[in-house]
Amino acid sequence: MPIVDGHAVADSLDYDTCIPIVRQAMTALSKGETQQLPRGVLPLDHGHMFGVMPGALNGGPFGGGPFGAKLVAVFPDNFDKGLPSHQGVIVLFDRDSGRPVGVVDGGEVTAIRTAAASAVATDALARPEAKTLALLGYGEQALTHARAITRVRRLSRITVWGRAPGRAAAFAARLAEELGLSVRATASAQEAVVDADIVCTVTAAKEPILNGAWVAPGAHVNVVGSSIAGPAEVDHDLVIRSRFIADCREHVLRQGAEFLRAKAAGLIGDAHVVAEIGEVLAGHAEGRQSAEQVTLYKSLGHVVQDLAAAWPLLKKD
Ligand code: NDP
């Protein structure tokens, strides 16, 4: 059985390939052309987690596509050891025979497909002329998000904030060199976002690091760092003032921490999740409604993104 390791994934899955794949996958999800179970999470000791994400690509552009699962270990403390905090495998099975067709490195796919999904959402929801990006966090997802967002908007400047100023500065220097853009580390999250057209929260923060009051009118925010009901990166204010779009409505209603906290506080109901990104992409729901509106994409991460991104790496045609 073939095994596609992380280097092979990084070599083959560039953003110009992955962004359209994820766009198709999210559209298929919202059209009911996929099947999936909500992510199962086994909490381990030391704050570690083991996630199991099963799904199937059934129809539309993926007709006859695979079924399978991502198995992912989440070890947030790996960041301080210089190791990836997400490691795992994606196992794909053949639709006709039930035969396992291969295993793909799940860490590398996760790094790329998550950023590709945010790029898809940004392309659909950010103002067309958006040109400034703020990254809250400077880990793996911050890097892949910077790469991916530059594929959908012509950026003039990036700001970066994180808890350790030295790390933020080193990350900014690396990004500036790679992308050939002005990248500046800021002393506060507020300073990073105040003039940003696009904001990505990509931290392992357990409590909000971004307040709605700091976000400029007309900004688009990708809220990515929390994938379970618990840790929340953004405050009630931002949730309430935003046009709130989910990657998957059913999953966000169960596991979207920022949404769930605002709901538990009695501030919003389920109808606050106005649409899935796939509905917006298919033209079945409105995305941004005005140049001043703040749009928010809640990313929990979805197995259909993993299956769709991994499949071409194993397909022989
Ligand atoms: P990394 O471990 O590479 O980076 C984690 C980042 O979070 C670092 O910048 C770290 O910096 C920062 N951080 C940790 N704790 C805090 C805190 N309390 N306040 C502010 N910043 C903090 O992780 P990834 O980049 O791979 O992932 C980032 C987040 O995105 C994780 O929470 C991960 O679970 C989530 N994720 C979501 C996915 C999705 O599909 N939605 C997919 C993959 C990941 P420092 O510790 O120096 O402050």
Side-chain angles (χ1 to χ4, degrees):
M1 190 193 309
I3 296 179
V4 182
D5 69 14
H7 297 295
V9 173
D11 285 348
S12 332
L13 193 63
D14 58 35
Y15 291 95
D16 291 336
T17 307
C18 194
I19 289 170
I21 290 174
V22 170
R23 187 179 286 122
Q24 283 187 328
M26 299 316 284
T27 308
L29 166 74
S30 295
K31 286 184 174 171
E33 296 169 346
T34 66
Q35 276 171 284
Q36 54 276 320
L37 297 176
R39 175 191 286 110
V41 178
L42 196 65
L44 305 171
D45 46 7
H46 310 299
H48 301 155
M49 287 177 290
F50 180 55
V52 181
M53 302 161 69
L57 303 177
N58 293 335
F62 303 104
F67 62 94
K70 178 162 83 174
L71 309 176
V72 60
V74 182
F75 281 43
D77 53 345
N78 273 6
F79 183 64
D80 283 333
K81 302 175 190 161
L83 297 170
S85 52
H86 286 61
Q87 301 172 95
V89 293
I90 300 164
V91 189
L92 287 91
F93 291 76
D94 179 61
R95 166 78 45 176
D96 297 325
S97 63
R99 178 179 58 88
V101 290
V103 176
V104 177
D105 185 288
E108 196 61 42
V109 171
T110 301
I112 298 169
R113 67 66 155 154
T114 307
S118 293
V120 167
T122 301
D123 199 21
L125 299 172
R127 285 178 288 119
E129 70 277 16
K131 59 179 188 304
T132 52
L133 167 68
L135 297 169
L136 303 187
Y138 39 58
E140 184 168 58
Q141 287 295 336
L143 180 62
T144 56
H145 273 68
R147 290 174 177 158
I149 301 295
T150 57
R151 311 311 298 178
V152 297
R153 285 296 183 277
R154 192 180 291 273
L155 299 181
S156 61
R157 160 167 79 68
I158 300 177
T159 46
V160 179
W161 171 83
R163 289 187 299 183
R167 281 179 171 174
F171 178 82
R174 174 184 175 185
L175 212 53
E177 186 176 341
E178 178 180 320
L179 299 177
L181 284 172
S182 157
V183 186
R184 184 171 59 90
T186 64
S188 69
Q190 181 172 4
E191 190 186 341
V193 305
V194 73
D195 292 324
D197 301 320
I198 303 162
V199 179
C200 301
T201 63
V202 278
T203 72
K206 294 190 168 46
E207 294 301 324
I209 44 134
L210 176 60
N211 293 349
W214 304 338
V215 172
H220 169 68
V221 187
N222 297 305
V223 179
V224 178
S226 168
S227 306
I228 53 171
E233 286 185 294
V234 309
D235 72 353
H236 292 337
D237 250 19
L238 182 61
V239 171
I240 293 164
R241 81 178 273 216
S242 302
R243 183 159 174 83
F244 195 104
I245 313 279
D247 55 2
C248 171
R249 181 184 283 106
E250 184 199 346
H251 292 188
V252 169
L253 294 182
R254 288 183 192 212
Q255 296 181 330
E258 293 84 3
F259 164 79
L260 290 170
R261 285 192 186 194
K263 183 180 167 182
L267 300 170
I268 53 171
D270 289 355
H272 191 70
V273 181
V274 288
E276 290 183 347
I277 192 65
E279 296 174 304
V280 175
L281 296 169
H284 297 156
E286 247 186 310
R288 167 175 295 281
Q289 296 169 308
S290 75
E292 292 73 40
Q293 189 170 51
V294 172
T295 51
L296 184 156
Y297 172 64
K298 177 56 198 170
S299 161
L300 284 173
H302 207 285
V303 67
V304 301
Q305 299 163 352
D306 297 304
L307 297 177
W311 193 31
L313 306 175
L314 287 167
K315 249 196 318 187
K316 294 194 178 45
D317 55 14

